[in-house]
């Protein structure tokens, strides 16, 4: 692999990790729920249990969103169109979230005990998985392949494994960042910090979707 491709690949994997940290720090992805679970149950083990449930739901959401694009990459002749289309979808979602600040009502109906389901639905509803799509497709594009001599099943297997790897690395970064915040609040800062220091990232989240989608479109072109 050429130095240019190596640097591009490293940059894209860095984006996977960075977006995971960003999702983890965002309280909307659920780390305050882990703190609440530990405080309400009055046992320290409730915190990692809740974080594991949140991580599982997030991982499933990332995988569910990425796998269809893994199957689409077998259409090698249409890779540019697929990447442009995916980027435009992410941009459109970001623009929609900028003007529609209301959170989906069905999320409020999910009981706090079902953290994995809540995490899955939140990640899908807020476009956390879609944010990864342009990055993932970029990784598929920079991997050197000879599509003309590669069986379709082998190509699907490679891209499917890559999509799962991207989802796992992203989720690992997300739950590490969110878990560190949750542990700090639970261990030292307490509920007073949680109530006074809550911050709203809705606008930043929407703008980041627009930015990532736009980067995906321009890189494809």
């Amino acid at each position: 692999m050429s130095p240019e491709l190596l640097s591009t690949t490293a940059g894209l994997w860095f984006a996977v990790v960075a977006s995971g940290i960003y999702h983890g720090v965002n309280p909307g992805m659920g780390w305050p729920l882990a703190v609440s679970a530990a405080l309400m149950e009055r046992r320290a083990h409730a915190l990692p249990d809740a974080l594991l449930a949140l991580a599982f739901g997030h991982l499933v959401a990332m995988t569910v969103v990425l796998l269809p694009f893994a199957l689409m990459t077998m259409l090698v002749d249409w890779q540019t169109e697929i990447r442009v289309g995916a980027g435009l979808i992410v941009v459109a979602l970001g623009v929609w979230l900028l003007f529609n600040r209301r959170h989906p009502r069905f999320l409020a109906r999910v009981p706090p005990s079902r953290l994995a389901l809540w995490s899955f639905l939140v990640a899908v509803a807020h476009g956390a998985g879609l944010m990864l799509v342009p990055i993932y497709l970029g990784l598929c594009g920079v991997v050197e392949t000879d599509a003309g001599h590669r069986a379709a099943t082998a190509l699907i297997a490679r891209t499917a494994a890559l999509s799962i790897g991207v989802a796992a690395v992203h989720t690992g970064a997300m739950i590490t960042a969110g878990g560190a915040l949750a542990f700090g609040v639970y261990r030292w800062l307490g509920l007073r910090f949680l109530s006074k220091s809550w911050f709203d990232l809705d606008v930043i989240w929407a703008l980041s979707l627009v930015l990532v989608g736009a980067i995906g479109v321009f890189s494809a072109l």
Side-chain angles (χ1 to χ4, degrees), residues 103-111 118 121-122 125-126:
H103 296 272
R105 292 183 179 180
F106 67 87
L107 293 175
R109 300 190 182 100
V110 180
W118 182 89
L121 293 175
V122 165
H126 289 274

Side-chain angles (χ1 to χ4, degrees), residues 31-121:
W31 64 261
L33 294 178
V35 178
S36 298
L39 290 173
M40 286 189 298
E41 297 185 26
R42 296 182 179 180
R43 59 185 184 92
H45 289 297
L47 183 65
D49 290 346
L51 290 173
L52 283 175
L54 291 170
F56 178 75
H58 198 84
L59 177 62
V60 173
M62 300 302 102
T63 305
V64 165
V65 172
L66 290 176
L67 275 179
F69 287 94
L71 298 177
M72 291 173 67
T73 53
M74 66 178 292
L75 304 173
V76 179
D77 293 336
W78 295 90
Q79 280 200 11
T80 299
E81 289 79 3
I82 291 171
R83 292 178 64 183
V84 170
L88 290 175
I89 290 172
V90 176
V91 170
L93 178 61
V95 172
W96 183 76
L97 289 176
L98 277 175
F99 292 97
N100 183 14
R101 304 289 180 80
R102 292 180 299 178
H103 296 272
R105 292 183 179 180
F106 67 87
L107 293 175
R109 300 190 182 100
V110 180
S113 58
R114 298 182 180 179
L115 285 180
L117 176 61
W118 182 89
S119 179
F120 171 82
L121 293 175

Side-chain angles (χ1 to χ4, degrees), residues 1 3 11-12 17 21 25 66-67 76 83 87 92 103 114 139 142 144 154 165 168 170 173 178 192 202 210:
M1 186 178 292
L12 288 169
V17 174
I21 294 172
V25 170
L66 290 176
L67 275 179
V76 179
R83 292 178 64 183
H103 296 272
R114 298 182 180 179
L139 282 169
V142 299
E144 294 175 339
H170 169 87
R192 183 172 298 178
D202 284 351
V210 173

Side-chain angles (χ1 to χ4, degrees), residues 16-33 35 51 54 58 118 122 128 131 170-183 185 193-194 197-202 204-205:
V16 171
V17 174
S19 63
I21 294 172
Y22 171 60
H23 288 174
V25 170
N26 185 355
M29 288 293 104
W31 64 261
L33 294 178
V35 178
L51 290 173
L54 291 170
H58 198 84
W118 182 89
V122 165
M131 182 183 285
H170 169 87
T171 302
M174 185 275 291
I175 209 62
T176 299
L181 276 175
F183 181 80
V185 171
F193 171 85
L194 195 60
S197 302
W198 186 273
F199 49 99
D200 188 356
L201 290 178
D202 284 351
I204 298 176
W205 181 279

